[in-house]
């Protein structure tokens, strides 16, 4: 009797320590993960000047823009109208921000003179004005554009909208084939005869996992070049699929080996063809590993940079990481834009991640095995 | 008899071939090219002839101190992966599976999240954290009371692998945790219940019941970890600045990359680089075969349902 | 479960079809009677070069409807990787951003793609301002501007005066500034020491010229006439050691990156900044920028009179037509037209204003009177200081890496100048 009581109290103490340690580890992990991301997100809403002044402060300048100072400038080489000058011939007053990227022609507005009060329309280059002096519609437009300065610049200059679409296509199509072909090969290896051959295939495909992308970069480019597949969506998808197969086959075959053969035997006895057995019985049971492979593959492709940099040359085929990287140069002068681009690239992955978490957390397991 | 075998073979090939053919097309040629290149002195930029030079490139590599430096660092990375990420991932998965902490779902999300960030993001943020008078330096200054202390672990070759190892564990453990979690959920609950009725404590359940069942998963994870460590390039490249930091933290893939793409003083750099990348594959295979051998000795992978 | 599988399959099919449609779309562009020029451009969406490039191409195409410019705009690592990939596989661009020295010209030289522009050089260029690139005076690219000064000491004059100090004339003057700076809580000199190349290009290149008295010491060393273990080179490295030991350059600068360096200076956290002349355009704070003077290094220990007051300048990079581009006359002429437009007076003036170049290479160029102060001062420095070689124009690969890393080691107290000099010498002779 006493022995059991002592054993139980010992159990509680060590369990308590274990729990405390677990909490410490998990909470620190969370902080290390979240804090930098939090910084990145709120900093992407700051202007470059703000970031240079104080890199940790909360955003202010871009939002408190009711009274921003602007300078009137004359038309110049690097002042690019945002309207078609041939079609729209109304006279414009060109103003540039005096506080946000002054002098770089990045924050320039072309105000139609007709819509301005006469004293403003008569201003000469060099004069200053404040946004508070402008008519409300203009003030609101400028205010909105100021707040979204970093994100608009990132999207427009980096062509991120289109690159986003490309990333979705690459990740989606490649992952689909990685899962499909991976499961097929795994099924052949794990559940069908010809074990010697399977071992060979497994080794062959597994070997591919050991190959880093840098080492095959040049010859891969040569192969794709000779097939005429460089700078095409199809070529990039083929490459991603091929590189994603080893991991897929590895994980899926290990999972399938754990599934009892009895199920398939009974299916065969019932007269089902191999293909039927695969589709109706095995595939549904593999959903957990399909999700795992799917997420890992899609994620790897979404964030992949080197292969797509080399294989894609025109904006039509470039994907999001390349677009994001174009804001990260060593001598970059627009940290705000870079952070905005990083957020744009990270946000979708986060959204997908948080949506799929429920699937993973609930542990989707095919109904057939339990009990 | 023969007909049935042939039909079976046909079905088998129907399942295997599409994927394998695609794989061979994309991966086989570059690999063969790379092997051939490592046995020659060819420079694709200049054209000219392929001259077979036997193991010259490999000999150069084996007498290059930079190779050994990179190899040593890589072995540390492998050790961190196999003996750090996998056990930690496994234990975390077990803790979450057995619901030993509250908010398991939330923590699961947080631990796996780093894996979803691109290395550009991580590099940008962590470089900022490690720079002079950055957040990490400030923390050190507060804790040590020395206002001029800096985070200079990355400047010295013998301490650089600590922050790198930390970053590696932070980023990749989530993956193994998820793999173990998926496989844990396949286990029949009744086994655990039976163990509990027999009076086993949590650690005992973990060590005596769970680990043996999932030993196959451990092996697969170890193989993945070894392979990933030896070809992993992005994270270390992103965390270090070019120069002292990167040279201190040099691992084989970065060594290969710098040799082949940047070392203009060596006209045979492509061939030399190929030798290095082939050496990486050989080392990976050796390590994986070793782990297979060890696990077979330990009786891993037997199904004990 | 079945519904999920079916939904996923349908979704996958849709994406697949979308992908194939896009693949089909790409084939159609090509020939519509236009001359297509394939350009590898250097720039980035976040800096002036990239922003200007996009604008220039749009304007050029609008003015030349018969020419279609297909370009790829990359920067830093990505640019070099892509160049290497394309050259090795034979997919050579028609026009590209290149140089003629060991760092920027090596891939093109290896691939034999350098093309002599002299027969087709437009009259708008001042040939005397373009250094020869080839052994017989060939010109392989049109430089963006006259020599690219890499060892500039930017001084925040206002801050210096506030501390009761004045522009340093000797090393001792710099040393004397340390106590006052410490009291005010600022650094004397800030440098982006985390980047290895900064030490070589922005510091040592000038030091070695000063200590050796020979503006061409480096190229001679690479050719074997000098040794890196010679006293002059070891002295140059020793000066770096002295700068750190005397507190002029803080040891923590090895942890400062490019962006932080410029922002430290912009925020008035340092009296001086070390960088190349291109950083002038990056000083965000107009108050600081207007009060910035550009100096050469003052009189240094071990300095020889012959090279007093010199700065190191690299031959400028720029755009050039490749051999492949020149093989088709129509493409060649279109490429040259683009280049001439890129270097036109209006565009060159814009680059001057942005602080990207020191002076254009155009004939009879009139410097506008309304340039920003800092640009004017840059021109003054360029006109007054003699120039010497930059190290990585001649030394590349393993020895250069060892040198840059070695200097970082010296600064962080892990190696001595003599050790580093010996290592560089050993690697340079392999």
């Amino acid at each position: 009797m006493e022995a059991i009581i002592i054993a139980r109290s010992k159990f509680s103490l060590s369990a308590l320590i274990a729990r405390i340690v677990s909490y410490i580890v998990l909470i620190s992990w969370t902080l290390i993960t979240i804090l930098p991301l939090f910084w990145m997100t709120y900093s992407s809403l700051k202007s470059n000047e703000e970031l240079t002044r104080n890199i940790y402060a909360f955003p202010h300048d871009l939002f408190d823009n009711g009274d921003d100072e602007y300078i009137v400038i004359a038309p110049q080489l690097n002042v690019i109208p945002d309207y078609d000058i041939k079609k729209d011939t109304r006279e414009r007053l060109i103003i540039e921000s005096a506080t946000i990227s002054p002098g770089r022609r990045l924050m320039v507005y072309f105000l139609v003179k007709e819509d301005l009060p006469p004293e403003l329309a008569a201003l000469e280059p060099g004069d200053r004005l404040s946004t508070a002096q402008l008519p409300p519609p203009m003030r609101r437009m400028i205010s909105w554009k100021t707040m979204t300065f970093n994100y608009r610049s990132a999207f427009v200059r980096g062509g991120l909208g289109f690159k986003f679409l490309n990333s979705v296509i690459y990740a989606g199509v490649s992952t689909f084939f990685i899962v499909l072909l991976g499961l097929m090969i795994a099924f052949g290896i794990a559940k069908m005869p010809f074990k010697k051959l399977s071992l060979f295939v497994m080794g062959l495909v597994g070997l591919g996992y050991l190959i880093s992308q840098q080492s095959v970069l040049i010859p891969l480019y040569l192969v794709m070049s000779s097939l005429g597949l460089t700078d095409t969506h199809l070529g990039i998808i083929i490459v991603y699929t091929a590189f994603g197969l080893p991991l897929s086959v590895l994980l899926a075959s290990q999972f399938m080996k754990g599934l009892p053969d009895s199920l398939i035997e009974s299916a065969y006895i019932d007269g089902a063809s191999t293909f039927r057995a695969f589709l109706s019985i095995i595939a549904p049971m593999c959903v957990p590993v399909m999700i795992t492979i799917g997420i890992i593959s899609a994620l790897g492709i979404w964030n992949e940079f080197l292969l797509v940099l080399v294989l894609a040359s025109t904006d039509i085929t470039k994907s999001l990481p390349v677009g994001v990287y174009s804001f990260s140069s060593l001598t970059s002068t627009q940290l705000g834009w870079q952070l905005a681009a990083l957020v744009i690239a990270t946000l979708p992955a986060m959204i997908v991640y948080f949506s799929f978490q429920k699937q993973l957390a609930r542990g989707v397991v095919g109904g057939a095995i339990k009990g | 008899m023969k007909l049935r075998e042939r039909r079976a073979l046909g079905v088998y090939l129907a399942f295997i071939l599409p994927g394998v053919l695609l794989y061979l097309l994309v991966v086989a040629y570059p690999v063969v090219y790379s092997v051939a290149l490592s046995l020659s002195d060819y420079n694709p930029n200049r054209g000219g002839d392929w001259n077979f030079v036997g193991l010259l490139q490999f000999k150069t590599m084996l007498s290059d101190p930079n190779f050994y430096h990179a190899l040593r660092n890589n072995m540390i990375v492998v050790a961190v992966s196999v003996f750090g990420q996998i056990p930690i991932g496994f234990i975390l998965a077990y803790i979450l599976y057995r619901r030993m902490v509250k908010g398991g779902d939330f923590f699961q999300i947080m631990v796996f999240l780093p894996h979803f960030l691109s290395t550009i993001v991580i590099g940008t943020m962590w470089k900022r954290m490690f720079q002079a008078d950055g957040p990490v330096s400030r923390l050190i200054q507060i804790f040590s009371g020395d206002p001029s202390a800096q985070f200079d672990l990355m400047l010295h070759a013998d301490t650089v692998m600590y922050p790198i190892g930390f970053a590696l564990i932070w980023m990749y453990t989530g993956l193994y945790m998820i793999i173990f979690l998926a496989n844990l959920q396949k286990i029949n609950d009744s086994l655990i219940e039976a163990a509990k009725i027999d009076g086993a404590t949590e650690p005992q359940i973990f060590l005596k019941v769970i680990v043996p069942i999932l030993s196959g998963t451990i092996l697969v994870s170890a193989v993945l970890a070894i392979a990933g460590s030896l070809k992993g390039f992005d994270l270390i490249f992103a965390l270090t600045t070019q120069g002292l930091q990167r040279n201190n933290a040099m691992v084989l893939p970065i060594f290969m990359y710098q040799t082949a793409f940047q070392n203009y003083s060596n006209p045979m750099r492509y061939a030399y680089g190929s030798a290095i990348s082939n050496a990486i594959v050989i080392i990976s295979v050796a390590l994986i075969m070793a782990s297979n051998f060890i696990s077979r000795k330990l009786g891993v992978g037997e199904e004990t349902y | 479960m079945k519904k999920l599988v079916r939904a996923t399959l349908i979704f996958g099919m849709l994406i697949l079809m979308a992908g194939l449609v896009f693949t089909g779309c790409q084939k159609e562009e090509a020939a519509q009677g236009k001359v297509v020029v394939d350009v590898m451009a250097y720039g980035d969406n976040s800096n002036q070069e990239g922003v200007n490039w996009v604008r220039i191409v749009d304007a050029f195409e609008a003015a030349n409807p018969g020419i279609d410019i297909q370009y790829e705009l990359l920067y830093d690592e990505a640019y070099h990787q892509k160049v290497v990939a394309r050259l090795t596989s034979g997919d050579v661009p028609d026009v590209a951003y290149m140089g003629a020295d060991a760092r920027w010209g090596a891939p093109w030289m290896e691939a034999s793609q350098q093309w002599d522009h002299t027969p087709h050089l437009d009259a708008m260029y001042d040939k005397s301002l373009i250094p020869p690139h080839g052994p017989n005076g060939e010109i392989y690219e049109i430089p963006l501007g006259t020599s690219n000064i890499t060892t500039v000491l930017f001084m925040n004059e206002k801050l210096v005066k506030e501390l009761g100090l004045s522009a340093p004339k000797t090393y001792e003057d710099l040393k004397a500034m340390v106590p006052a700076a410490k009291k005010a809580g600022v650094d004397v000199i800030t440098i982006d020491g985390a980047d290895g190349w900064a030490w070589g290009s922005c510091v040592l290149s000038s030091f070695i010229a000063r200590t050796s008295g020979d503006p061409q010491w480096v190229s001679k060393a690479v050719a074997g006439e000098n040794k890196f273990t010679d006293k002059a080179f070891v002295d140059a490295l020793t000066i770096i050691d002295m700068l750190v030991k005397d507190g002029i350059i803080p040891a923590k600068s090895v942890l400062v990156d490019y962006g932080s360096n410029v922002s430290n200076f912009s925020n008035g956290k340092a009296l001086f900044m070390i960088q190349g002349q291109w950083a002038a355009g990056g000083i965000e704070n107009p108050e600081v920028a207007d009060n910035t003077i550009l100096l050469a290094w003052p009189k240094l220990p071990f300095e020889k009179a012959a090279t007093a007051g010199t700065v190191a300048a690299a031959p400028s990079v720029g755009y050039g037509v490749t051999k492949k581009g020149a093989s088709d006359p129509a493409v060649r002429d279109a490429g040259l037209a683009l280049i001439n437009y890129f270097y036109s007076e209006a565009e060159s003036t814009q680059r001057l204003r942005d602080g990207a170049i020191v002076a254009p290479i155009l004939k009879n160029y009139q410097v506008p009177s309304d340039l920003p102060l800092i640009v004017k001062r840059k021109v003054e420095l360029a006109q007054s200081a003699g120039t010497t070689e930059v190290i990585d124009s001649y030394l590349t690969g393993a020895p250069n890496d060892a040198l840059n890393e070695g200097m970082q080691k010296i600064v962080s107290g892990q190696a001595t100048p003599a050790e580093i000099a010996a290592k560089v010498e050993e690697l340079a002779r392999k």
Side-chain angles (χ1 to χ4, degrees):
Chain A
M1 219 32 184
E2 284 163 7
I4 298 179
I5 295 175
I6 293 173
R8 252 199 224 130
S9 57
K10 251 193 177 169
F11 171 60
S12 311
L13 181 62
S14 57
L16 188 63
I17 295 177
R19 288 184 85 197
I20 293 179
V21 170
S22 311
Y23 271 114
I24 292 179
V25 167
L26 289 169
I27 292 180
S28 326
W29 208 298
T30 306
L31 284 176
I32 297 178
T33 308
I34 293 292
L35 285 177
L37 286 175
F38 178 58
W39 171 81
M40 184 176 86
T41 312
Y42 77 71
S43 294
S44 68
L45 295 167
K46 292 161 70 173
S47 73
N48 205 42
E49 288 70 32
E50 265 186 287
L51 286 163
T52 314
R53 271 200 308 267
N54 182 351
I55 203 152
Y56 298 116
F58 279 114
H60 170 266
D61 282 5
L62 290 182
F63 293 94
D64 179 23
N65 56 26
D67 200 11
D68 274 357
E69 201 181 321
Y70 280 79
I71 303 183
V72 180
I73 58 175
Q76 270 165 43
L77 190 65
N78 56 1
V79 174
I80 309 166
D82 56 1
Y83 59 94
D84 189 345
I85 51 173
K86 290 193 199 112
K87 291 201 188 126
D88 186 341
T89 52
R90 293 177 294 178
E91 269 206 55
R92 308 267 173 163
L93 185 72
I94 310 176
I95 60 172
E96 185 185 11
S97 170
T99 49
I100 300 173
S101 299
R104 297 190 197 278
R105 312 290 183 240
L106 297 173
M107 193 95 171
V108 178
Y109 297 108
F110 298 83
L111 304 175
V112 181
K113 278 195 180 169
E114 300 167 349
D115 299 338
L116 287 170
E119 67 269 11
L120 290 181
L123 287 175
E124 293 295 310
D127 293 338
R128 291 178 179 245
L129 61 82
S130 154
T131 48
Q133 297 171 280
L134 293 172
M138 283 188 187
R139 200 181 338 137
R140 276 196 296 271
M141 183 260 301
I142 292 183
S143 171
W144 171 251
K145 285 199 170 165
T146 309
M147 280 198 288
T148 55
F149 178 52
N150 287 343
Y151 283 91
R152 270 189 312 113
S153 306
F155 258 113
V156 170
R157 291 182 196 279
L160 292 185
F162 202 83
K163 297 203 172 72
F164 187 93
L165 194 61
N166 278 341
S167 272
V168 171
I169 292 178
Y170 294 146
V173 180
S174 308
T175 305
F176 176 73
F177 282 112
I178 289 174
V179 169
L180 179 66
L181 294 174
L183 277 182
M184 281 165 61
I185 297 180
F187 183 64
I189 292 178
K191 292 295 177 201
M192 290 177 74
F194 308 107
K195 288 298 169 197
K196 287 238 175 73
L197 197 52
S198 292
L199 212 58
F200 172 71
V201 171
M202 179 93 164
L204 187 66
V205 174
L207 212 58
Y209 192 66
L210 304 174
I211 297 173
S212 77
Q213 289 160 345
Q214 291 75 36
S215 50
V216 295
L217 208 55
I218 302 292
L220 186 62
Y221 193 73
L222 283 165
V223 172
M224 287 289 131
S225 216
S226 54
L227 289 172
L229 285 175
T230 47
D231 205 27
T232 58
H233 285 82
L234 187 63
I236 295 175
I237 290 174
I238 287 178
V239 172
Y240 278 143
T241 308
F243 275 101
L245 274 178
L247 182 66
S248 173
V249 168
L250 214 55
L251 287 178
S253 59
Q254 203 267 331
F255 188 86
M256 279 195 200
K257 279 192 187 135
L259 298 177
D261 289 342
S262 47
L263 280 164
I264 308 182
E265 303 299 347
S266 51
Y268 286 154
I269 292 172
D270 284 349
S273 73
T274 325
F275 197 62
R276 219 53 249 293
F278 174 67
L279 257 186
S280 321
I281 301 186
I282 298 294
M285 280 184 4
C286 286
V287 173
V289 79
M290 272 167 67
I291 294 180
T292 309
I293 296 173
I295 290 181
I296 297 174
S297 306
L299 175 69
I301 295 171
W302 181 268
N303 286 333
E304 203 282 325
F305 169 69
L306 192 60
L307 277 179
V308 70
L309 171 75
V310 172
L311 289 173
S313 300
T314 56
D315 269 355
I316 301 178
T317 35
K318 288 191 178 178
S319 67
L320 208 50
V322 180
V324 168
Y325 187 77
S326 74
F327 288 99
S328 312
S329 72
L330 192 64
T331 54
S332 138
T333 51
Q334 289 294 341
L335 182 59
W337 293 3
Q338 180 187 354
L339 292 173
L342 287 174
V343 170
I344 293 173
T346 314
L347 201 60
M350 293 293 112
I351 293 176
V352 166
Y353 177 63
F354 282 102
S355 331
F356 265 99
Q357 261 306 316
K358 296 199 190 103
Q359 304 281 67
L360 282 173
R362 265 186 238 131
V364 182
V365 183
I369 297 189
K370 276 263 185 166
Chain B
M1 210 53 195
K2 271 203 178 150
L3 184 61
R4 188 143 55 112
E5 260 183 30
R6 211 179 294 158
R7 211 177 285 157
L9 185 63
V11 174
Y12 179 75
L13 288 178
F15 271 90
I16 302 271
L17 274 185
V20 173
L21 281 180
L22 179 67
Y23 170 78
L24 285 177
L25 168 71
V26 174
V27 180
Y29 174 74
V31 170
V32 171
Y33 184 94
S34 173
V35 172
L37 198 55
S38 69
L39 296 171
S40 76
D41 67 352
Y42 180 58
N43 184 341
N45 249 358
R46 272 187 317 181
D49 301 315
W50 286 78
N51 292 324
F52 182 67
V53 294
L55 296 174
L56 173 66
Q57 307 295 352
F58 289 95
K59 285 207 193 107
T60 320
M61 185 182 77
L62 286 174
S63 55
D64 187 347
N66 288 329
F67 171 72
Y68 289 104
H69 175 66
L71 182 64
R72 176 184 161 270
N73 281 341
N74 240 144
M75 288 299 115
I76 295 178
V77 173
V78 171
V80 165
S81 302
V82 174
F83 299 113
Q85 292 168 4
I86 293 183
I88 296 178
F90 199 172
I91 294 174
L92 284 176
Y94 185 70
I95 292 177
L96 294 178
Y97 174 65
R98 298 283 295 138
R99 303 196 186 287
M100 281 166 43
V101 293
K102 287 213 181 71
D105 284 357
F106 173 73
F107 285 124
Q108 180 186 334
I109 293 178
M110 286 300 132
V111 171
F112 195 28
L113 197 138
H115 205 249
F116 273 73
L117 302 171
S118 83
T119 47
I120 303 178
V121 172
I122 296 178
T124 307
M125 297 192 306
W126 284 52
K127 269 198 189 130
R128 224 161 258 290
M129 290 207 304
F130 289 156
Q131 70 187 14
D133 295 327
V136 178
S137 297
R138 289 266 163 75
L139 276 175
I140 297 180
Q141 285 165 5
I142 293 177
F143 277 116
S144 69
D146 174 12
S148 66
Q150 296 291 340
F151 180 73
D152 59 356
L153 286 175
M154 306 225 340
L155 296 176
H156 300 262
D158 45 356
T159 55
V160 69
M161 293 315 281
Y162 287 115
I164 302 275
F166 183 78
L168 284 167
I169 291 182
W170 171 78
M171 182 156 183
Y172 293 115
T173 302
L175 173 64
Y176 300 110
M177 183 187 80
I178 293 292
I179 293 179
F180 281 115
L181 205 54
N183 282 296
L184 273 172
Q185 281 152 358
K186 260 183 4 185
I187 294 180
N188 209 328
D189 279 345
S190 54
L191 278 167
I192 302 183
E193 297 308 327
K196 274 198 129 158
I197 291 174
D198 284 347
T201 63
E202 287 293 347
Q204 282 175 330
I205 298 179
F206 181 68
L207 281 173
K208 297 267 163 55
V209 179
I210 305 289
V211 171
I213 294 180
L214 288 189
S215 49
T217 315
I218 296 180
L219 178 61
V220 171
S221 302
V223 169
L224 288 178
I226 293 174
S229 310
L230 283 161
K231 72 172 186 177
F233 171 98
D234 289 352
L235 187 62
I236 300 182
F237 194 83
L239 284 175
T240 53
T241 54
Q242 200 216 8
L244 190 59
Q245 286 181 12
R246 199 166 286 160
N247 288 347
N248 281 342
M250 180 75 63
V251 286
L252 290 169
I254 299 184
F255 179 48
M256 181 254 140
Y257 172 79
Q258 283 192 338
T259 308
F261 285 81
Q262 293 173 350
N263 194 7
Y264 285 107
S265 60
N266 180 358
M268 292 192 297
R269 60 188 188 275
Y270 287 107
Y272 188 39
S274 298
I276 299 172
S277 53
N278 289 326
I280 295 175
V281 174
I282 295 174
I283 296 173
S284 310
V285 170
L287 283 175
I288 290 175
M289 292 207 313
S291 41
N292 263 329
F293 178 71
I294 294 175
S295 55
R296 214 168 297 147
K297 283 268 165 173
L298 294 175
V300 159
E302 297 155 3
E303 267 134 59
T304 49
Y305 279 78
Chain C
M1 201 37 60
K2 269 215 165 118
K3 276 210 181 122
L4 183 64
V5 173
R6 201 174 290 163
T8 319
L9 274 169
I10 296 179
F11 181 64
M13 283 296 135
L14 282 174
I15 295 189
L16 180 62
M17 285 195 295
L20 290 173
V21 164
F22 271 114
T23 319
C25 268
Q26 278 160 7
K27 307 296 180 184
E28 50 123 333
E29 5 160 287
Q32 282 170 350
K34 290 192 180 187
V35 179
V36 178
V37 183
D38 185 7
V39 185
M40 275 218 73
Y42 197 67
D44 186 283
N45 279 316
S46 65
N47 58 25
Q48 285 298 101
E49 284 173 87
V51 171
N52 281 335
W53 172 262
V54 176
R55 177 178 56 76
I56 289 173
V57 169
D58 287 343
F60 178 78
E61 280 181 328
N64 295 280
I67 303 180
D68 182 20
I69 306 289
Q70 306 264 19
Y71 65 85
E72 195 175 355
L73 187 68
L74 293 169
Y75 210 70
D76 284 341
E77 284 293 330
Y79 181 81
H80 292 289
Q81 274 166 15
K82 196 61 191 277
V83 165
V84 167
R86 289 187 67 167
L87 286 177
T88 1
S89 66
D91 178 17
V92 184
D94 300 319
V95 173
Y97 189 81
M98 57 170 85
D101 61 6
R103 190 165 161 251
W104 283 90
W108 306 96
M109 187 176 73
E110 235 184 25
S112 308
Q113 282 295 332
Q114 291 177 317
W115 178 70
D116 186 16
H117 289 65
T118 25
H120 300 266
L121 205 58
D122 194 286
M124 68 196 238
Y125 300 111
D126 185 343
K127 207 156 165 219
S128 66
L129 293 174
I130 305 180
H133 300 138
N136 300 320
E138 294 99 322
I139 294 178
Y140 295 136
E141 44 96 0
I142 313 288
L144 282 176
T146 54
S147 55
N148 194 11
I149 303 177
T150 57
T151 60
V152 180
L153 201 58
F154 292 86
M155 177 174 83
N156 186 341
E157 193 177 32
K158 186 155 164 243
L159 192 55
V160 169
K161 288 219 165 89
E162 263 172 29
L163 294 183
L165 304 162
S166 56
K169 298 224 168 41
T170 66
Y171 180 86
E172 273 62 37
D173 290 342
L174 275 176
K175 195 165 162 189
M177 293 184 176
V178 176
K182 219 177 188 172
K183 220 167 108 195
V186 297
D187 291 328
V188 180
I189 297 182
T190 174
I191 178 175
D192 51 331
D195 304 318
W197 60 266
W199 293 100
S201 299
C202 307
V203 178
L204 196 67
S205 295
S206 189
F207 287 7
I208 179 61
R210 300 283 184 93
T211 57
S212 65
D214 181 357
Q216 278 124 19
W217 192 94
V218 180
S219 55
K220 289 185 187 155
V222 172
E225 286 173 39
N226 294 321
K227 287 214 174 88
F228 289 101
T229 41
D230 288 347
K231 182 170 185 299
F233 197 73
V234 179
D235 284 343
L237 289 170
T238 309
I239 302 179
I240 297 181
D241 198 22
M242 289 167 65
L243 283 166
V244 177
K245 293 216 163 77
D246 290 337
I248 301 173
I249 294 185
K252 68 179 181 188
S253 60
V254 179
L255 292 167
V256 175
D257 66 9
Y258 184 91
S260 307
N261 187 30
V262 180
S263 88
N264 279 344
F265 188 69
S266 286
N267 286 336
K269 293 209 188 111
L271 297 172
F272 298 89
M273 170 175 77
I274 294 178
Q275 249 307 319
Q277 57 87 17
W278 54 80
I283 301 176
E284 296 288 350
N285 190 341
E287 240 190 74
V288 173
D290 287 342
N291 284 302
T292 300
I293 311 272
L294 283 77
L295 300 170
W297 281 91
K299 182 155 181 285
L300 298 167
F302 313 112
E303 185 175 291
K304 304 259 175 1
T307 45
T310 53
V311 290
S316 198
V317 287
Y319 284 94
V321 177
T322 61
K323 216 169 228 163
K324 171 173 177 282
S327 58
D328 177 344
V331 170
R332 177 198 66 205
D333 291 336
L336 285 170
L338 173 66
I339 292 179
N340 293 340
Y341 185 86
F342 186 80
Y343 288 90
S344 63
E345 185 176 337
E347 293 295 342
S348 292
T349 309
Q350 187 55 52
R351 263 192 290 281
L352 189 60
R353 264 182 216 288
D354 290 338
I357 58 176
V358 177
I361 46 148
L362 302 171
K363 221 176 247 180
N364 303 324
Y365 181 74
Q366 304 283 6
V367 179
S369 51
D370 60 342
L371 288 178
L373 270 172
I374 197 169
V375 175
K376 281 197 183 137
R377 292 185 178 137
K378 200 199 299 183
V379 176
E380 281 164 22
L381 176 66
Q383 287 169 340
S384 59
T387 59
T388 67
E389 292 171 342
V390 175
I391 296 179
D392 67 8
S393 296
Y394 300 94
L395 190 68
T396 58
N400 194 35
D401 285 341
L403 178 60
N404 290 338
E405 178 200 26
M407 286 186 277
Q408 288 174 314
K409 278 193 173 147
I410 292 177
V411 172
S412 56
Q414 296 177 55
T416 66
E419 285 169 3
I420 303 301
K423 188 140 187 243
V424 176
E425 174 67 23
E426 187 196 324
L427 287 169
R429 304 302 164 208
K430 275 222 182 114

